[in-house]
Amino acid sequence: MTVRGGEQARTWEKKQSLREHLIELRRRLIYSVIALVITTSASFSFVNYLFIELKSRAPAGVQLVFIKPTEMFEVYIRVALISGLILALPFIILQILLFIRPALKPNESRGLYVMLIFATLSFLIGGAFAYFVLIPPALKFLLTFATDIATPYIRIGDYISLITRLVFWVGVIFETPLVIFFSIRLGLVTVQKLSRARRWIIVGAFIMGAFITPTPDTVNQTLVALPLIILFEIGLLLGRLAQRKRVQKTRG
């Protein structure tokens, strides 16, 4: 009876623990959704300014049109939602931290905060690079190519989708140093292996640049490939620090 009672008590504790985690997760999700609703609602007050800014990326004389009755409304909502998500991002990250913090040690918790801060900054820097450096020449090539044959009338939905896609994926690519750092920190790969694979990574950067950029010209491909190579080298430098700490921890 005592053994069975002990097992039942442990089972009940596990169920309670899982239930508490789910309640906490729900609470953090509700807070995040509320923040997103607030920031998205606030974004409607300046969506027109955002449209003016986004349109400024296109070459002069290009007409943006919509061909469905609901298309402009859908794009309007999408732009407000994207803006709201960017504004709510720090609060959403905070909710993630507060949810997982109880399971971490104090030093691990501090490291997690630093990682998420750098991850957010890296993504924003990558998005800014795409928006201000990569997108203008890419759009100029696409929207002025063979205009003597056909006049470009671009759907507003396609135009916004192209810009947001490029900003998102280039932002993700700028997370490369952190990915390399934590891969080495966890022992999934070593600096030596990555260094030996440098030539293949350089080739892969240009191939990825060809896939990411919407244009076939080498200029835009290089604009993506060069930052990728630089980010890889930064990741190696950070990886050396991570590997050194890992070796010291193992010896200790």
Side-chain angles (χ1 to χ4, degrees):
M1 291 293 291
T2 305
V3 175
R4 182 176 295 180
E7 290 178 353
Q8 289 177 346
R10 284 192 293 270
T11 303
W12 183 83
E13 288 176 359
K14 288 179 181 178
K15 287 181 179 179
Q16 283 295 105
S17 178
L18 178 60
R19 184 171 177 274
E20 289 171 0
H21 283 307
L22 291 175
I23 291 173
E24 179 67 11
L25 177 61
R26 184 181 65 179
R27 187 157 68 99
R28 299 301 172 189
L29 287 173
I30 290 173
Y31 289 165
S32 299
V33 170
I34 291 172
L36 182 58
V37 170
I38 292 171
T39 53
T40 300
S41 300
S43 297
F44 280 105
S45 63
F46 53 84
V47 165
N48 285 334
Y49 297 102
L50 291 176
F51 273 115
I52 293 171
E53 173 58 34
L54 292 170
K55 189 178 178 181
S56 70
R57 299 295 97 186
V62 172
Q63 284 288 106
L64 297 177
V65 302
F66 62 93
I67 59 175
K68 295 191 306 181
T70 60
E71 184 172 1
M72 192 60 204
F73 178 74
E74 291 169 359
V75 175
Y76 201 88
I77 296 295
R78 189 189 312 165
V79 171
L81 184 59
I82 293 170
S83 173
L85 181 60
I86 292 172
L87 292 175
L89 188 61
F91 184 81
I92 293 172
I93 291 175
L94 176 63
Q95 297 308 304
I96 295 171
L97 285 171
L98 292 174
F99 176 71
I100 64 178
R101 187 178 60 179
L104 300 174
K105 297 176 182 178
N107 60 329
E108 292 175 336
S109 181
R110 287 193 297 270
L112 188 63
Y113 277 99
V114 172
M115 181 194 74
L116 287 175
I117 290 170
F118 274 101
T120 304
L121 288 175
S122 298
F123 182 84
L124 293 176
I125 292 170
F129 172 81
Y131 187 75
F132 292 105
V133 178
L134 178 61
I135 287 175
L139 287 176
K140 184 177 181 181
F141 177 88
L142 290 171
L143 302 182
T144 60
F145 181 76
T147 51
D148 56 329
I149 300 173
T151 302
Y153 288 93
I154 311 301
R155 288 178 57 182
I156 184 70
D158 294 338
Y159 177 82
I160 297 298
S161 293
L162 175 63
I163 290 179
T164 53
R165 240 186 358 253
L166 282 173
V167 168
F168 174 78
W169 285 112
V170 175
V172 170
I173 285 171
F174 268 64
E175 305 288 348
T176 300
L178 286 176
V179 173
I180 293 174
F181 174 80
F182 283 100
S183 296
I184 293 173
R185 184 73 180 269
L186 295 172
L188 302 175
V189 70
T190 63
V191 172
Q192 292 73 20
K193 286 183 179 179
L194 287 176
S195 297
R196 287 195 294 268
R198 180 180 277 108
R199 67 181 66 180
W200 297 107
I201 290 171
I202 292 173
V203 172
F206 279 93
I207 293 173
M208 189 174 292
F211 275 106
I212 291 172
T213 54
T215 65
D217 64 299
T218 56
V219 175
N220 286 296
Q221 182 183 1
T222 305
L223 280 175
V224 175
L226 283 180
L228 271 175
I229 295 167
I230 294 170
L231 290 169
F232 169 74
E233 295 297 336
I234 293 173
L236 277 185
L237 289 175
L238 294 174
R240 287 190 176 93
L241 296 175
Q243 189 166 289
R244 193 178 305 155
K245 288 182 179 180
R246 190 168 182 272
V247 170
Q248 290 173 353
K249 188 176 180 180
T250 305
R251 288 176 180 174

